[in-house]
Amino acid sequence: MKIIIDNGGTKLDWAVLGSDIIYTSKSINVFETNEIVLDQISNIFPVKIFKEKDLEIDFYTTGFNMHTEKKIKHIFQTYFNLSSIHVFSDMLAASRALFNQKNGIVCILGTGSNCAYFDGHDNQNTTLSLGHLLGDEGSAYHLSRTFLINYFQDNLSPDLKIKFENSMQMDQDKILSTIYMASDHKFYIASFSKFLKNNIEDPFIHQIIKDCFLIFFNNHPFKIPKFETYRFGFVGSIAFHFQDIIIDILSNKNIEYIILKKPMDNLIKYYN
């Protein structure tokens, strides 16, 4: 039995190869302690799964580096009866889902963001992932943070400001307090992207989103040599929900594209 796992910044998708069912749960935080990661794994997967003989796991994850790769392998190999465990980056999951074995420029736009050139086998020129403090341009966090700054600096129209506060059922002081009191600032701020999605027709919000995307494009995929000759691929909720703006930007440069909300369906096809 082979299990494919795609662990993103917010959600985790997994499936048994050969099955049509994709399961979704809260993601695993690979930067937590071994004990917490083990507990998260145990809460997601049925116990009987790990009792299967010749069990193989391909684990794609955000936050991939040598340390997290070693940690995930150690936890699975120590506590579960596995035939093999391979750990890859979520960028490789996106690349394989979008292009299979063809080349292209891969972009993740979800809670966070990332970009790489995929040569059909491996990712090249992967953007240095700086996280939300120094990077994540074009992500839910970046869009929401930019909107919130404009809100607190009174740059919104009176109607939009009232609409936002009504949707939150809070005034400005309360909104600020909840942001700084949140247990996870990144995910809480990113959650404001739902308001942007629901009010995309507002010209001010539309311009904020477009500006954030242009910052992402100009600092990442548009820096790849001869970028305009490659097909672009996108995965992630932000790319999916705001695809009209992305398409408008790419169309001005005559760039072909593909946009997926989640990579798992196509990732399974990669293995078939």
Side-chain angles (χ1 to χ4, degrees):
M1 177 185 287
K2 191 180 189 74
I3 297 176
I4 311 301
I5 302 170
D6 180 30
N7 184 46
T10 305
K11 299 291 185 180
L12 178 148
D13 292 330
W14 69 277
V16 176
L17 205 59
S19 170
D20 294 329
I21 302 175
I22 296 175
Y23 301 91
T24 300
S25 69
K26 186 178 179 181
S27 62
I28 294 170
N29 185 348
V30 297
F31 296 107
E32 287 285 7
T33 64
N34 285 17
E35 291 74 18
I36 292 177
V37 171
L38 175 61
D39 185 58
Q40 291 173 342
I41 291 171
S42 300
N43 288 332
I44 293 171
F45 301 98
V47 175
K48 63 180 182 179
I49 284 284
F50 295 112
K51 293 182 179 179
E52 294 284 342
K53 292 183 179 180
D54 300 321
L55 179 61
E56 300 178 9
I57 292 178
D58 278 6
F59 189 99
Y60 297 86
T61 185
T62 185
F64 175 84
N65 57 40
M66 292 179 61
H67 174 71
T68 53
E69 178 187 12
K70 184 177 179 180
K71 175 194 284 189
I72 294 300
K73 282 185 175 180
H74 171 76
I75 292 172
F76 274 102
Q77 290 171 341
T78 301
Y79 297 99
F80 305 107
N81 182 29
L82 300 183
S83 174
S84 69
I85 168 75
H86 297 100
V87 183
F88 308 103
S89 71
D90 59 343
M91 279 301 303
L92 188 59
S95 298
R96 288 175 169 177
L98 287 162
F99 296 115
N100 201 303
Q101 296 183 30
K102 297 179 180 179
N103 67 333
I105 293 177
V106 183
C107 304
I108 295 177
L109 291 175
T111 305
S113 68
N114 210 341
C115 172
Y117 167 71
F118 183 60
D119 64 9
H121 299 283
D122 299 302
N123 285 323
Q124 310 289 341
N125 301 321
T126 303
T127 298
L128 180 61
S129 184
L130 298 176
H132 69 287
L133 293 179
L134 298 175
D136 277 350
E137 298 91 341
S139 68
Y141 174 84
H142 182 213
L143 270 59
S144 300
R145 181 179 181 272
T146 303
F147 171 78
L148 287 169
I149 289 172
N150 278 278
Y151 165 68
F152 287 116
Q153 293 178 346
D154 291 325
N155 293 328
L156 275 59
S157 68
D159 288 344
L160 183 57
K161 180 178 180 180
I162 291 171
K163 191 173 186 179
F164 176 58
E165 291 177 348
N166 287 342
S167 73
M168 297 299 298
Q169 296 185 326
M170 291 184 278
D171 61 17
Q172 194 171 72
D173 288 341
K174 184 63 176 178
I175 293 172
L176 185 61
S177 296
T178 59
I179 290 172
Y180 280 97
M181 291 174 63
S183 58
D184 192 318
H185 297 113
K186 174 184 176 181
F187 289 105
Y188 185 67
I189 290 175
S191 71
F192 287 89
S193 62
K194 294 177 183 177
F195 177 80
L196 304 184
K197 173 180 173 289
N198 293 332
N199 294 276
I200 185 62
E201 299 303 323
D202 183 274
F204 189 82
I205 288 178
H206 189 278
Q207 191 62 50
I208 284 178
I209 297 167
K210 184 175 182 179
D211 289 345
C212 288
F213 283 159
L214 286 171
I215 291 171
F216 169 77
F217 280 116
N218 290 328
N219 281 285
H220 300 293
F222 288 176
K223 283 187 174 180
I224 295 174
K226 299 181 180 179
F227 70 86
E228 66 276 4
T229 65
Y230 298 114
R231 192 180 190 193
F232 277 50
F234 299 83
V235 299
S237 59
I238 293 299
F240 183 80
H241 290 303
F242 299 115
Q243 60 181 282
D244 287 348
I245 298 176
I246 291 174
I247 291 170
D248 181 59
I249 294 171
L250 296 180
S251 296
N252 287 332
K253 294 184 178 294
N254 297 315
I255 295 173
E256 296 183 1
Y257 58 86
I258 178 173
I259 300 173
L260 302 174
K261 184 176 182 180
K262 290 184 176 183
M264 182 56 82
D265 284 324
N266 281 24
L267 185 59
I268 292 171
K269 294 177 184 177
Y270 170 83
Y271 284 88
N272 295 328

